[in-house]
Amino acid sequence: MAFSRSAVEELSALHGEPDWLRARRLTSFGIYEGLAVPDTKRQEDWRQVDLKGLDLEAYAPFQQPNGRAPLGTLENVGATLRQRGTSPAVVSIAPELTQRGVIFMPLAEAARAHPELVQRYLFTGVKPEQDKFAALHGALFSGGTFLYVPDGVTIDEPLVSQFWSAGSGAAVLPHSLVIGGKGSRFQYVDEFLSGDRQEAALASGSAEVFLEEGANVGYVALQHWSIKTWQFANQRFQLGRDSHLNAVTIALGGQMARLRVEAILQGPGSSADLKGLFFGTGDQAFDFRTLQDHVGPHTTSDLLFKGALRDRAKSVYVGVVRVEPEARGSSSNQANRNLLLSEKAKATSEPILEILNNDILRCSHGATVGPVDPEHLFYLESRGIPHPVAERMLVQGFLGEVLDRITVPQVREAVDQELAARID
Amino acid sequence: MADFEIKDLRVSVEGREILKGVSLSVNKGEVHAVMGPNGSGKSTLSHTLMGHPNYKVISGQVLFKGKNILALQPEERAKLGMFLALQYPVVVPGITMSNFLRTAINAKRGYDGKDKSKAINVKEFRALLRDEMSVLRMDDSFLSRYVNEGFSGGEKKRAEILQMAVLKPEIAILDETDSGLDIDSIKFVSDAVNRMRGPELGVLIITHYTRVLKFIKPDYVHVLVNGEFVRSGGPELADWLEAKGYSEWVKEPAKAPAALEAK
Ligand SMILES: Nc1ncnc2c1ncn2[C@@H]1O[C@H](COP(=O)(O)OP(=O)(O)OP(=O)(O)O)[C@@H](O)[C@H]1O
Ligand SMILES: [Mg+2]
């Protein structure tokens, strides 16, 4: 069954969604039908993206519910949501958090229980109009998480969602909607996983995160889809006055994994720290588009995307820093560093600066592409450390700057393990 | 035959011949000083001995433990018992000193990530370092820092000697370990090196200045000028050089070592 209006209706019914949400899905589907697959030759935003071999018709619109998420053993977390395909999510949340007004539940359930909240925010950041894939995501999102942390609430332990793809040949399109109330403090983690490393899938894994005045939010996304997944995902952060965002995104999976990360520094004095890490092997291709949009005055952003590529893996990084007319006294930094571990690996990096207010404190950017430093290798090897071990240490050291920002030990461990297995 | 023998070594860098036939015999238990003006090829010698890929051997041999080590990778040379303290130690971001030292020690012990019994345990590691670090006046905070990152010139050199102390080589090449050190640091470093001296260690100490040779007394002194050894002798040759400099071999008015020191 290809993508169709009836598939949208069926999926919405499966989740027991209210009429307004079904209507929104259908509107998105209309947009999807009206848009062409991006033209990678003519559309600036899609240049360098290789969509050859992508056949949207080949994917089922959603995965039939076929089993719950695997049981996990996450410790020291405030709440977890696990969802496999379109099966109902399994949620656990510390009762103490519920008492303090924290809402953490499947998106469809929130649409019924808290329609005013969900309606106000859902898809206002990641808009279906953006492109065909965002429209598809809006029409057929396969489920997801709704998190609302009330004003002034601090949560020490992270809240974690895990989304599993469930079987070959279908679209798996999770969506997280996160709202941090005034002065709230918490960390939220999205994990995207495939049960089978080889299964074919069309995926997203998008998030909209809203930070109200003075909120301090940590967001971590771990993308570990199968290596036969086409991913088109969006993360959009909307920052209110004096709020602070710490975002870390890790990309390990995907045949072609595209991720757009946008931080909209709207509120005066808001700041965003954006870190990215990727590791590509085989024929994997990554595509990152980032936006540091300084809208309000005295806003600060610091972006660092680091990746290593081996075999024939490729990455494209295009990062826009925009300083809007009102953004006086703002400060931004953007860096993209790529380590090439084989002759055929390839990385390109393109910074784009759009400065519409020259009264800024700082606006710096830098990109590097190159192999492991031979002087570093010599130094380690001269101490008797074998070449492969030295190379692994250097790659881990290179990525460490971002790895150290993963605040959830279990996630860090999972990433370390995967990296160790892939670097050798 | 000596324990470590350099035979008629010729080396080029970027297509230019720098070492033009160098021979030297070092036995374990001996300390040899190699002195020479800037650019004479001292570091070319040290890097070539350790197997740095930028230095191309044109001809010659270096024999150690019955092998021509010029055919070996740097890691294999280290495993055989060679060590080079770099003139300009490299900053390696992202790798802590502690991880670096532990991995190097484990590599020497033949630990390949499988047989855990071969790996150094935490207690042993601590004990080993505590001793050596106190001699070098280094505090524990170095261990959690990235390799040489933010280290002062003197701290980098001390960290090199710390590595030597824990790896216990049989042939150590110290490339200008004394330069950039204040007199106290020279004493600490010399103490650490002198502690290691003994019948199982041969040292090649490369230096500009005779100063360090007051603390680490050489058995032999060799003068390298323009890629060739022009004179060899006992410790008295160092005193002679201190007085005369390299003017005998170098055309331009040679700077006295004291002046060099001030650069
Ligand atoms: N990696 C390199 N690339 C290009 N030239 C080099 C390189 N290494 C050494 N050289 C050249 O070889 C010559 C000898 O340099 P070397 O570093 O061996 O001298 P040195 O005796 O150690 O000098 P110093 O006392 O300044 O440390 C110099 O002319 C130097 O410019
Ligand atoms: Mg030198």
Side-chain angles (χ1 to χ4, degrees):
Chain A
M1 182 174 66
F3 306 134
S4 63
R5 296 186 81 80
S6 62
V8 172
E9 280 169 356
E10 194 184 328
L11 179 61
S12 186
L14 197 66
H15 285 304
E17 291 172 354
D19 292 346
W20 68 264
L21 188 49
R22 188 180 56 244
R24 281 214 187 177
R25 282 185 182 271
L26 288 168
T27 307
S28 293
F29 193 75
I31 297 167
Y32 169 80
E33 286 182 311
L35 287 171
V37 170
D39 182 337
T40 57
K41 296 229 166 52
R42 295 201 179 76
Q43 270 169 272
E44 187 59 30
D45 196 34
W46 288 85
R47 271 193 319 139
Q48 309 189 64
V49 185
D50 188 358
L51 295 178
K52 276 197 297 293
L54 172 65
D55 177 11
L56 287 176
E57 295 298 310
Y59 298 93
F62 56 87
Q63 301 178 329
Q64 296 297 331
N66 59 352
R68 301 225 154 182
L71 289 175
T73 52
L74 286 180
E75 281 162 24
N76 303 321
V77 295
T80 55
L81 180 148
R82 301 154 187 280
Q83 189 180 10
R84 183 164 185 269
T86 49
S87 296
V90 183
V91 180
S92 85
I93 175 167
E96 174 256 342
L97 292 181
T98 311
Q99 278 154 28
R100 291 161 71 199
V102 175
I103 305 170
F104 182 76
M105 57 176 59
L107 198 46
E109 190 181 328
R112 292 191 300 271
H114 307 280
E116 65 306 325
L117 264 178
V118 180
Q119 260 170 345
R120 177 143 37 103
Y121 292 100
L122 186 65
F123 296 130
T124 59
V126 177
K127 294 193 175 76
E129 294 82 2
Q130 180 187 290
D131 56 52
K132 193 169 182 74
F133 302 105
L136 184 71
H137 176 84
L140 282 165
F141 67 92
S142 48
T145 298
F146 177 73
L147 169 62
Y148 173 75
V149 180
D151 294 355
V153 169
T154 294
I155 307 173
D156 294 326
E157 293 177 325
L159 303 108
V160 181
S161 293
Q162 295 183 320
F163 300 102
W164 274 268
S165 166
S168 228
V172 51
L173 311 168
H175 187 86
S176 294
L177 178 59
V178 176
I179 301 156
K182 289 184 182 137
S184 61
R185 283 180 87 94
F186 61 93
Q187 302 170 58
Y188 173 72
V189 181
D190 270 328
E191 271 189 77
F192 306 106
L193 307 150
S194 296
D196 171 358
R197 304 297 311 142
Q198 296 292 328
E199 74 183 29
L202 176 68
S204 57
S206 293
E208 296 173 285
V209 181
F210 297 86
L211 293 82
E212 293 185 356
E213 187 175 333
N216 187 323
V217 175
Y219 175 77
V220 177
L222 168 57
Q223 184 271 97
H224 200 187
W225 296 125
S226 83
I227 52 162
K228 300 225 173 102
T229 297
W230 290 86
Q231 179 202 251
F232 302 92
N234 290 279
Q235 293 171 7
R236 172 112 166 174
F237 306 96
Q238 185 80 36
L239 286 91
R241 176 183 283 269
D242 297 327
S243 65
H244 178 69
L245 168 74
N246 241 316
V248 183
T249 190
I250 300 133
L252 299 174
Q255 160 181 346
M256 206 299 289
R258 176 175 164 106
L259 173 67
R260 176 186 290 279
V261 177
E262 298 182 338
I264 314 301
L265 297 126
Q266 185 93 40
S270 57
S271 58
D273 190 306
L274 306 160
K275 295 259 188 300
L277 180 154
F278 51 99
F279 195 98
T281 49
D283 292 296
Q284 283 187 292
F286 294 112
D287 185 272
F288 299 101
R289 311 278 156 155
T290 66
L291 171 65
Q292 296 153 267
D293 191 4
H294 293 260
V295 183
H298 306 291
T299 47
T300 306
S301 69
D302 191 357
L303 178 144
L304 173 65
F305 270 54
K306 275 188 149 183
L309 302 166
R310 93 167 340 148
D311 306 328
R312 297 156 307 278
K314 289 195 222 32
S315 77
V316 172
Y317 172 85
V318 180
V320 177
V321 172
R322 186 180 299 147
V323 178
E324 311 244 3
E326 296 303 310
R328 66 182 182 282
S330 64
S331 161
S332 72
N333 183 41
Q334 180 202 81
N336 170 227
R337 316 236 169 264
N338 303 280
L339 204 50
L340 303 181
L341 302 175
S342 70
E343 298 271 309
K344 293 223 167 100
K346 189 166 174 256
T348 62
S349 187
E350 187 185 340
I352 299 173
L353 306 179
E354 300 172 3
I355 314 287
L356 303 171
N357 182 330
N358 284 311
D359 182 14
I360 49 179
L361 294 180
R362 190 173 73 124
C363 181
S364 54
H365 62 90
T368 51
V369 178
V372 175
D373 188 331
E375 296 297 331
H376 290 170
L377 269 177
F378 172 70
Y379 194 43
L380 268 62
E381 288 172 31
S382 78
R383 294 327 184 218
I385 299 174
H387 180 89
V389 178
E391 191 177 86
R392 183 193 329 139
M393 286 172 81
L394 289 168
V395 175
Q396 277 168 341
F398 171 80
L399 298 175
E401 200 178 342
V402 177
L403 286 173
D404 288 345
R405 301 296 289 272
I406 305 174
T407 43
V408 184
Q410 290 93 339
V411 176
R412 168 76 200 252
E413 228 165 83
V415 176
D416 280 344
Q417 264 176 25
E418 175 67 16
L419 287 178
R422 286 229 226 160
I423 291 168
D424 287 343
Chain B
M1 203 184 86
D3 292 331
F4 186 81
E5 210 157 300
I6 305 170
K7 286 180 150 174
D8 201 20
L9 184 62
R10 292 172 58 210
V11 176
S12 70
V13 184
E14 314 246 315
R16 190 157 67 93
E17 185 168 346
I18 304 294
L19 293 185
K20 298 161 183 165
V22 165
S23 298
L24 186 65
S25 299
V26 179
N27 281 301
K28 291 204 268 183
E30 297 171 354
V31 173
H32 292 245
V34 172
M35 305 190 67
N38 287 120
S40 58
K42 303 183 298 294
S43 294
T44 301
L45 176 62
S46 74
H47 282 96
T48 305
L49 292 178
M50 208 63 221
H52 190 292
N54 285 1
Y55 298 82
K56 300 281 172 262
V57 174
I58 303 166
S59 65
Q61 285 187 318
V62 177
L63 302 172
F64 181 46
K65 295 191 177 171
K67 283 194 174 105
N68 180 10
I69 57 126
L70 295 176
L72 303 180
Q73 293 300 311
E75 59 179 273
E76 297 169 306
R77 300 183 199 203
K79 277 190 195 116
L80 266 192
M82 291 177 63
F83 181 87
L84 166 63
L86 287 173
Q87 180 175 5
Y88 303 108
V90 182
V91 176
V92 192
I95 298 179
T96 61
M97 277 300 285
S98 152
N99 185 12
F100 179 54
L101 289 168
R102 188 194 311 273
T103 311
I105 292 168
N106 282 337
K108 185 175 163 121
R109 292 171 158 229
Y111 172 63
D112 58 359
K114 291 185 192 102
D115 181 2
K116 284 256 191 302
S117 69
K118 284 194 179 149
I120 188 164
N121 67 41
V122 178
K123 246 176 111 180
E124 259 180 290
F125 184 63
R126 288 253 140 223
L128 178 64
L129 288 179
R130 194 182 316 118
D131 245 31
E132 299 300 341
M133 288 177 79
S134 75
V135 175
L136 287 161
R137 305 292 200 282
M138 295 174 81
D139 65 62
D140 268 4
S141 68
F142 280 101
L143 295 176
S144 54
R145 286 167 69 180
Y146 290 147
V147 174
N148 294 323
E149 190 173 83
F151 288 24
S152 71
E155 287 167 346
K156 283 183 188 165
K157 299 302 180 75
R158 284 190 249 172
E160 292 289 288
I161 299 305
L162 175 64
Q163 291 164 44
M164 173 179 165
V166 301
L167 292 172
K168 304 196 176 15
E170 293 167 52
I171 293 293
I173 305 145
L174 310 183
D175 192 350
E176 307 232 11
T177 300
D178 56 316
S179 56
L181 295 189
D182 58 29
I183 195 74
D184 282 340
S185 300
I186 289 190
K187 279 188 195 135
F188 304 146
V189 163
S190 302
D191 284 350
V193 173
N194 286 330
R195 260 164 61 97
M196 293 180 245
R197 280 181 81 162
E200 286 313 310
L201 175 67
V203 180
L204 203 62
I205 175 166
I206 294 172
T207 183
H208 257 91
Y209 319 120
T210 49
R211 195 175 55 166
V212 67
L213 303 181
K214 305 249 185 311
F215 299 99
I216 304 174
K217 298 223 155 55
D219 302 300
Y220 303 93
V221 175
H222 311 273
V223 184
L224 186 71
V225 176
N226 197 15
E228 287 173 291
F229 282 124
V230 292
R231 186 164 302 173
S232 291
E236 71 288 345
L237 181 52
D239 301 328
W240 185 86
L241 280 170
E242 171 142 275
K244 299 245 167 151
Y246 303 104
S247 53
E248 186 163 323
W249 304 284
V250 184
K251 290 225 173 61
E252 336 60 298
K255 292 177 220 145
L260 281 174
E261 211 161 315
K263 82 173 171 173

